[in-house]
Amino acid sequence: MRATTIHAPFDMRVEDVPDPVIQQPTDVVLRVLRACVCGSDLWAYRGESARKPGQRIGHEFLGIVEETGAEVTGFDPGDLVVAPFVWSDGTCAYCAEDLQTSCPQGGFWGSLGSDGGQGEAVRVPFADGTLVKLPADAASDDHLLTALLALSDVMGTGHHAALGAGVRPGSTVAVVGDGAVGLCGVLAARRLGAERIIALGRHTVRTDIARTFGATDVVAERGEAAEAAVRELTGGQGAHAVIEAVGTEQSMRTAVAIARDGGSIGYVGVPHGSGTGLDLSVIFDRNIALRGGVAPVRAYIPELLPDVLDGTIDPSPVFDLTVGLDGVPGGYRAMDERTALKVLVKP
């Protein structure tokens, strides 16, 4: 089959690789219908996170089950399924607590020795604990497939941030970051009943999506100017709930500064940079709660799936460029140069 590999910074290739095969009786082999490029993939692309030459990449995908191992009970060939960005056994204590990202037997797609989602097919370990079945007729609905793909990562991650931030009906929410996760955080906050949602972002195309998703206000400034703007919008108090979806020192400083005393920050931006920007004395003095981390999206898919299927939420607008498999390297360039928000891949 053909799959995307990374060889060095800015060196992405689509190459022939061995076809995936059943290795364990709990595996399935899945044919990929939709995949995408994540903002976190760009850290590998830019050389800021290490990869071995030829390593697979991509962790967001959905597709059709082609073959099942002897011990798989929940899926049959022909089933349409979505894969969260981490596989998990579904039986350990962490999985029972809906923290599948800490499963001792779990792992990330594209890690050494595993398949990546940006290819024609994937071997899925622990299929019964990992995959979620989708309605069969969704396979023929291109728009719905795109929306469902967001459940593999960005929609669940935005939801995780909203939960960590304590979004509740009637609350004021500020979202730091106008990438796909931040935009899905806006969508999640609206779904959870936020009354006011302030989106922080400088790119009009993205903040227009934020408004479509439910943002009531947009702040285009950065740093201290952004902090002052949010304070002005909230009568000097700040937001009850802040979603931090970037992961830099500056973004975390901004999140702390615009949080209301007694408020909460839900952080899901992959940390990168020299520090976190956290001053624990400020957080302590102002009674700000901090909760977040790697989103256990497998726990959220069953909750979010019905709302995607009936159109209550539609995260598909975060995908603004579509490529075939051969176009994946160009898709990385487009996201790196910020000419694309999130690239959809149709193998």
Side-chain angles (χ1 to χ4, degrees):
M1 71 167 191
R2 302 175 72 239
T4 306
T5 57
I6 181 168
H7 291 261
F10 308 105
D11 184 2
M12 311 299 297
R13 306 178 193 176
V14 179
E15 300 180 306
D16 290 329
V17 300
D19 290 338
V21 296
I22 300 293
Q23 297 181 17
Q24 300 293 331
T26 52
D27 292 349
V28 306
V29 172
L30 179 152
R31 174 170 53 88
V32 177
L33 291 183
R34 297 288 184 276
C36 54
V37 180
C38 182
S40 64
D41 291 332
L42 295 180
W43 301 118
Y45 178 70
R46 295 166 179 159
E48 296 183 37
S49 59
R51 294 293 189 275
K52 297 289 186 181
Q55 190 170 337
R56 308 285 179 82
I57 196 165
H59 55 261
E60 300 163 280
F61 59 94
L62 56 75
I64 301 291
V65 173
E66 293 286 304
E67 185 180 0
T68 63
E71 294 180 12
V72 174
T73 60
F75 303 98
D76 296 304
D79 285 344
L80 177 67
V81 295
V82 61
F85 65 82
V86 171
W87 73 77
S88 53
D89 64 20
T91 61
C92 72
Y94 286 113
C95 287
E97 296 168 3
D98 281 339
L99 193 63
Q100 292 89 343
T101 48
S102 292
C103 176
Q105 297 196 87
F108 291 80
W109 310 111
S111 56
L112 279 175
S114 73
D115 295 326
Q118 295 162 17
E120 293 180 321
V122 175
R123 180 184 73 88
V124 178
F126 302 108
D128 284 329
T130 300
L131 300 173
V132 177
K133 190 179 297 186
L134 302 173
D137 56 1
S140 60
D141 186 331
D142 187 67
H143 182 90
L144 180 57
L145 273 183
T146 301
L148 290 168
L149 176 62
L151 294 176
S152 66
D153 185 348
V154 288
M155 189 62 231
T157 298
H159 179 68
H160 186 59
L163 293 179
V167 176
R168 62 188 185 278
S171 58
T172 294
V173 181
V175 180
V176 181
D178 59 4
V181 170
L183 294 174
C184 286
V186 172
L187 197 56
R190 187 193 72 185
R191 178 180 176 274
L192 292 172
E195 181 176 324
R196 191 172 196 183
I197 303 172
I198 304 167
L200 282 70
R202 296 181 299 161
H203 303 86
T204 303
V205 171
R206 299 182 180 198
T207 54
D208 285 348
I209 296 173
R211 290 188 184 278
T212 300
F213 281 1
T216 55
D217 303 273
V218 169
V219 169
E221 293 84 0
R222 299 185 73 181
E224 293 182 358
E227 296 164 15
V230 174
R231 290 282 171 181
E232 183 176 355
L233 288 169
T234 57
Q237 291 189 342
H240 301 103
V242 179
I243 291 173
E244 192 286 309
V246 182
T248 64
E249 183 170 342
Q250 180 60 63
S251 64
M252 186 60 81
R253 288 187 184 277
T254 298
V256 171
I258 65 178
R260 184 181 187 271
D261 286 14
S264 301
I265 298 170
Y267 68 101
V268 293
V270 178
H272 52 276
S274 59
T276 64
L278 289 179
D279 184 336
L280 291 181
S281 64
V282 172
I283 292 172
F284 179 85
D285 291 343
R286 296 178 52 214
N287 279 285
I288 295 173
L290 183 67
R291 186 174 179 85
V294 183
V297 299
R298 177 60 182 82
Y300 302 138
I301 293 173
E303 176 184 352
L304 298 172
L305 177 57
D307 284 359
V308 175
L309 292 174
D310 68 15
T312 300
I313 56 174
D314 178 11
S316 64
V318 302
F319 300 99
D320 61 345
L321 176 63
T322 300
V323 299
L325 200 53
D326 287 331
V328 170
Y332 273 84
R333 286 194 298 273
M335 286 182 61
D336 184 50
E337 295 168 358
R338 300 185 75 85
T339 59
L341 168 58
K342 190 167 181 66
V343 173
L344 176 70
V345 181
K346 296 182 177 181

